[in-house]
Amino acid sequence: MTSSGEDRPSTPPTSLQAPISPPKSRRHRERSSKISDVNHQAGAKEPPLAAVEAGEIQIQDHLSYFSSHLSKAVRPFTSLLSIQDFVDLYKRNRYHDGRHFVVHQHDHPIAGVHYDLRLQISETSSISFAIMYGLPGDPNSRRLNRNATETRVHNLEQKQTDDELSNSSLDGGNEPSTSESEKLHRAFKDRKIRIRLPGARLPSNYTLSIRLLTANNRHEQPKKPSRKRRRKNPESQNLHTPGTPEASEVEEDVDSGHTTRDTTATAYECELEEQEDEQVRLTNAYPGANNSINSIHQRRWLLSMDRQASGFGPQVKDDETKTWVRREQGGKLLGFQPFYVRGRDHERSIVTGRTAYEVIEDEGVKGFTGRKGWKAVLE
């Protein structure tokens, strides 16, 4: 079912007038009295992006601001979605039954590179998952399954970033009166989501299966972590390498029984949560968003490509090993050529065509050092 903005009011909900950035850390809260309120208009001097992201400047028209800002950074011949298409997509989904998704490459200085998948349920709520190695694109990958960690709820305006954008659809029954957003909300409550994500870069029949195992099904937000002082032990200083993660993610391939261990920086959670506003921690929603979907922070879901629904079928070789190949249906070849998420050195925005390093250069970021050790899944 396709949502449409026809015959509807053009004024966005009042909840979208809130700041778009996550809460400021404690050391920046004293600046709140100095925050200026800017109504961005065509021809007006554009406020700096860094000030907007830091919460030092609040803007009223988020879409105008970001579309204007991104239009100045477009790389010719490399962008896949025009600025006008970018604007139109958001306008179509500024309503309760809006539906779109974002795949956002997040180069976090502590957690390192990961990919955020955000699925819109309404104008003020979206399901957000952090996926260490991005979406799987090879039906024969030994690491087809990925951990998808539930994160803070965002609203529509908080997804106006330089990333993958498009509408989504779900396999949630054939009820004509049920919107796609209602299907998604129902599937989320049932802890089993099967969703098709045709995007500017993702294939038209690309389908994901996302499910929450019973063992990980918590019903309450995690408690605020306690900070304990540790005594310095000179003898143990060489036991740990600075920057080495204290925890790891485990990914299991159900089909093959192959288990791999992913190194990640989950130890940064304590540091981040200590800086977050208490209300954000209690509600699991950033300002301007509404956790009407009862999203629980840091629940770990299992995400995998649904190979059958994506257009692939099993084929047994002479040596009795099974491989997945593209199926034919009605004389048409389904499926798609395998794709791989290769990280910040290679991935480009579909809106501007920029790499992560070009974004940093364009925005005048100085002294940023990305976390090392991320490796693409190419097998």
Side-chain angles (χ1 to χ4, degrees):
M1 182 178 295
T2 302
S3 59
S4 173
E6 296 179 1
D7 302 324
R8 300 191 182 186
S10 58
T11 303
T14 55
S15 60
L16 300 189
Q17 305 300 326
I20 64 169
S21 301
K24 302 180 292 299
S25 60
R26 292 176 180 175
R27 60 181 178 179
H28 291 144
R29 287 177 183 170
E30 62 272 11
R31 297 183 184 178
S32 59
S33 60
K34 300 180 181 180
I35 292 178
S36 58
D37 196 356
V38 177
N39 186 5
H40 183 65
Q41 299 177 352
K45 184 178 180 181
E46 185 176 276
L49 181 60
V52 173
E53 290 293 335
E56 297 171 357
I57 295 178
Q58 295 181 6
I59 55 178
Q60 297 300 316
D61 191 341
H62 301 84
L63 184 56
S64 294
Y65 173 79
F66 278 101
S67 59
S68 173
H69 188 85
L70 294 177
S71 66
K72 299 179 177 67
V74 172
R75 300 298 195 268
F77 311 113
T78 57
S79 63
L80 299 178
L81 189 74
S82 70
I83 296 296
Q84 187 57 54
D85 288 339
F86 170 85
V87 172
D88 291 344
L89 185 143
Y90 273 101
K91 287 183 176 180
R92 290 199 307 271
N93 292 284
R94 270 183 163 176
Y95 307 100
H96 181 71
D97 59 352
R99 58 183 184 89
H100 87 303
F101 72 93
V102 174
V103 178
H104 168 57
Q105 180 175 275
H106 192 179
D107 194 355
H108 197 282
I110 300 175
V113 174
H114 62 275
Y115 292 82
D116 295 323
L117 172 63
R118 295 171 186 161
L119 307 172
Q120 180 187 1
I121 287 184
S122 69
E123 70 272 36
T124 59
S125 297
S126 66
I127 308 170
S128 298
F129 297 104
I131 307 164
M132 186 70 166
Y133 295 104
L135 301 180
D138 185 349
N140 293 299
S141 174
R142 296 176 62 197
R143 302 171 67 180
L144 188 67
N145 297 328
R146 309 287 165 90
N147 284 324
T149 304
E150 209 169 329
T151 60
R152 303 298 187 202
V153 174
H154 295 65
N155 66 30
L156 177 64
E157 304 297 333
Q158 290 164 335
K159 298 196 289 291
Q160 285 177 354
T161 51
D162 198 358
D163 308 291
E164 173 84 54
L165 296 152
S166 192
N167 292 103
S168 59
S169 61
L170 284 100
D171 295 328
N174 297 316
E175 304 172 52
S177 61
T178 304
S179 68
E180 297 294 337
S181 57
E182 289 173 329
K183 291 179 184 178
L184 177 57
H185 193 184
R186 182 185 302 172
F188 180 71
K189 289 193 294 185
D190 292 341
R191 308 298 184 250
K192 189 174 183 180
I193 302 171
R194 190 165 176 255
I195 187 169
R196 184 172 293 108
L197 301 177
R201 184 172 294 160
L202 292 177
S204 59
N205 55 351
Y206 183 76
T207 304
L208 286 177
S209 173
I210 312 172
R211 57 192 176 92
L212 182 64
L213 302 180
T214 303
N216 296 330
N217 189 11
R218 291 185 290 104
H219 300 281
E220 296 181 355
Q221 302 296 345
K223 296 181 179 180
K224 186 176 182 179
S226 60
R227 301 284 288 179
K228 297 181 180 180
R229 297 183 63 183
R230 295 180 180 179
R231 293 183 180 181
K232 294 183 178 180
N233 185 353
E235 297 180 358
S236 63
Q237 288 182 351
N238 296 327
L239 296 180
H240 300 283
T241 303
T244 300
E246 298 180 8
S248 60
E249 291 183 350
V250 177
E251 297 184 353
E252 298 181 357
D253 190 324
V254 177
D255 290 336
S256 65
H258 179 75
T259 301
T260 57
R261 184 166 294 273
D262 299 324
T263 303
T264 186
T266 55
Y268 80 98
E269 294 166 358
C270 291
E271 179 177 343
L272 295 183
E273 290 206 20
E274 187 178 48
Q275 296 178 358
E276 286 185 330
D277 184 87
E278 182 69 7
Q279 186 65 21
V280 172
R281 188 186 67 81
L282 292 175
T283 63
N284 193 35
Y286 284 132
N290 178 19
N291 189 3
S292 60
I293 58 178
N294 194 29
S295 173
I296 303 298
H297 192 46
Q298 294 178 355
R299 284 191 302 194
R300 188 164 293 175
W301 296 58
L302 183 66
L303 177 148
S304 183
M305 178 170 61
D306 188 322
R307 293 180 282 200
Q308 287 278 4
S310 295
F312 298 93
Q315 184 180 80
V316 180
K317 296 182 179 180
D318 294 337
D319 59 359
E320 297 186 353
T321 59
K322 184 173 67 174
T323 185
W324 288 80
V325 299
R326 300 177 67 176
R327 293 188 288 112
E328 285 191 16
Q329 181 174 309
K332 181 180 179 181
L333 187 63
L334 304 179
F336 47 83
Q337 290 295 324
F339 67 85
Y340 305 92
V341 178
R342 299 179 182 273
R344 62 187 173 197
D345 294 339
H346 303 277
E347 301 299 332
R348 290 184 175 272
S349 159
I350 66 164
V351 180
T352 64
R354 297 185 294 180
T355 65
Y357 293 107
E358 289 172 334
V359 172
I360 289 176
E361 183 179 1
D362 287 351
E363 303 304 335
V365 177
K366 305 294 182 182
F368 175 81
T369 302
R371 183 181 175 88
K372 299 180 180 180
W374 189 93
K375 292 183 179 179
V377 176
L378 303 176
E379 57 181 7

